[in-house]
Amino acid sequence: MIKKLTIAAIITVVALLGTFVSPEKSANAQVMYQAFIYSGEATVGGKPIPNGLKITAHVLDYSSGPVTVKDGKYSGLSIWPCLLESETAIVRGKETVTTQCSSDDQYLNQTVSFRLEGSIVLADETDKFVANGVPWRKNKFNLTFPNLPVPTPTPTPILPTPTPTPILPTPTATPIPPTATPTPTATPSVASPAIYSGTVVVAGAVVPEEAELVARIGKYQSLPAVIQEQLYKNLVLDPGDPALIGSDVEFYLNGVKSRTVHTYQSGASEKSLDLIFIGLPTATPVPPTATPNPPTVTPVPPTATPVPSTATPVPHPPTATATPMPPTPTPPTPTPTPTAVPVPTSTPVAPEIISTLPATEETSATGCLAGGNISSTAAAANLLLLGGPLGLVAVLKRSHRTRRTRRGQ
């Protein structure tokens, strides 16, 4: 069983290898690759090439779009040889031709040459076109040209030698009415639409989503192009003004101007015009806005504030204090010897009570016992003052009687 499985595996591997290395399959296979983009200095005889001259790149029968030399430098020279397939569609009521570019392996490993002004003046430097999955930027690819192109001299027409004309007798002049000379009609120039396609190159980044690519010339701005990943197509420039033919076309991606500038030609169809953008801003996330929360109002029950009573207490009149009078001294009475009955030495006299109570509206002017309205407290105090001395006299009398009784016994 194991031997059968091993033999089947070997047969499968051999079949697969035969599929991959088959010459027929290899000859018809197409290799997918992207554009080469060159930039650098351009000199002739050790000096910068004058401004305004154009440089193109060539591989086999393919020629790139020209780039203009400025300050001795060129940039954005893109070469992308491929098989062009045109497709016609109706966009907004207009017929639009879309060109698709598919890879063709006949250009692989072929020499890339550089020409000045499309002439036979070739640069000393060359390159080899190889397959690459992404656009390949070759910066500082300096080009050196042996000489500037010599302008083609304009041939000077050789005039034929005039043949002498015999002099005839002067005839009588017959007046001929003048014939109006027709004014030549100028051939009107037509500004046909130009179509651009190629690669969008953003320095240090990728093409943003929902990006908008337009072309501008003068006050005219085209409709946005169709952008798919790094490629753009169907960028139609249709200003309709013949005076703009030969003017510079500027390209804008999300409002940022391209470093690549192209010359508008009526009816031109540029299939591999690569646009380079530097300094394209990136989107900044906007922080979320804080939602204010209204403060919660907690009802507070009212607190009862005690209100002091406004009643004013009425003070009672002070209680009258009786001032006792000192007893009047009585001279001692001589006691007879034979008589053993003791004689009291002094007779107590009731003291005179003097009232010190102040006169009020409730007290009569005739005395404390006179008729009138007095308070119950004042009446009780007056009774105590009057009854106190009488009680004292009664106590003193009882005390004398008790002592005399004890002596008689």
Side-chain angles (χ1 to χ4, degrees):
M1 182 65 180
I2 296 176
K3 291 182 178 180
K4 291 182 178 180
L5 293 176
T6 304
I7 294 173
I10 293 174
I11 293 174
T12 304
V13 171
V14 171
L16 291 175
L17 291 176
T19 302
F20 288 124
V21 301
S22 173
E24 182 179 358
K25 296 286 184 179
S26 176
N28 297 329
Q30 290 186 352
V31 180
M32 299 302 297
Y33 49 86
Q34 296 293 333
F36 281 18
I37 303 174
Y38 298 92
S39 299
E41 297 179 355
T43 58
V44 55
K47 296 181 180 181
I49 291 180
N51 293 343
L53 297 183
K54 301 183 184 300
I55 299 176
T56 54
H58 304 265
V59 54
L60 295 181
D61 59 345
Y62 173 83
S63 299
S64 70
V67 295
T68 304
V69 177
K70 185 178 181 180
D71 298 331
K73 296 181 180 180
Y74 75 99
S75 63
L77 179 58
S78 175
I79 181 170
W80 188 11
C82 57
L83 295 175
L84 301 180
E85 299 178 359
S86 299
E87 183 177 314
T88 305
I90 304 299
V91 178
R92 297 183 181 181
K94 292 184 178 181
E95 181 177 324
T96 303
V97 179
T98 303
T99 303
Q100 301 290 343
C101 187
S102 60
S103 303
D104 187 355
D105 58 358
Q106 66 173 326
Y107 298 103
L108 293 178
N109 300 320
Q110 298 298 326
T111 301
V112 180
S113 61
F114 302 90
R115 298 182 184 180
L116 185 61
E117 286 294 316
S119 64
I120 60 174
V121 180
L122 300 177
D124 297 339
E125 294 79 11
T126 59
D127 198 12
K128 181 179 290 186
F129 189 81
V130 296
N132 195 45
V134 295
W136 191 348
R137 292 179 56 84
K138 293 194 174 186
N139 298 324
K140 297 183 179 180
F141 195 89
N142 300 333
L143 298 178
T144 304
F145 293 90
N147 58 274
L148 295 175
V150 179
T152 303
T154 303
T156 303
I158 300 175
L159 300 178
T161 303
T163 302
T165 304
I167 301 174
L168 299 177
T170 303
T172 304
T174 302
I176 301 173
T179 304
T181 304
T183 304
T185 304
T187 303
S189 300
V190 178
S192 301
I195 304 173
Y196 303 100
S197 302
T199 304
V200 179
V201 180
V202 179
V206 297
V207 180
E209 295 183 1
E210 305 299 332
E212 183 180 79
L213 176 63
V214 296
R216 297 177 185 174
I217 180 172
K219 296 182 179 180
Y220 170 82
Q221 175 173 310
S222 70
L223 295 175
V226 178
I227 299 179
Q228 297 177 348
E229 296 182 354
Q230 301 295 112
L231 303 178
Y232 76 96
K233 60 183 181 178
N234 297 347
L235 181 56
V236 179
L237 183 70
D238 188 14
D241 186 359
L244 296 176
I245 297 177
S247 302
D248 289 340
V249 181
E250 298 176 344
F251 303 89
Y252 289 84
L253 181 65
N254 287 351
V256 177
K257 182 180 177 182
S258 170
R259 297 295 296 273
T260 304
V261 180
H262 194 68
T263 302
Y264 169 57
Q265 299 295 334
S266 176
S269 179
E270 299 291 342
K271 309 301 182 182
S272 57
L273 179 61
D274 298 327
L275 305 179
I276 301 174
F277 297 89
I278 299 177
L280 190 72
T282 57
T284 302
V286 179
T289 305
T291 303
N293 294 325
T296 303
V297 179
T298 303
V300 179
T303 304
T305 304
V307 180
S309 175
T310 57
T312 304
V314 180
H316 295 286
T319 305
T321 304
T323 304
M325 298 296 293
T328 303
T330 304
T333 304
T335 304
T337 303
T339 308
V341 177
V343 179
T345 58
S346 64
T347 303
V349 180
E352 182 179 358
I353 303 302
I354 300 175
S355 176
T356 61
L357 291 175
T360 61
E361 294 180 358
E362 297 180 357
T363 305
S364 175
T366 59
C368 61
L369 296 178
N373 296 327
I374 61 173
S375 64
S376 59
T377 304
N382 291 335
L383 292 176
L384 289 174
L385 292 176
L386 293 177
L390 296 178
L392 180 60
V393 172
V395 170
L396 290 177
K397 286 183 178 182
R398 187 174 181 179
S399 176
H400 283 296
R401 290 176 184 173
T402 302
R403 280 188 287 179
R404 282 186 297 192
T405 303
R406 289 179 182 177
R407 289 177 183 176
Q409 294 178 352

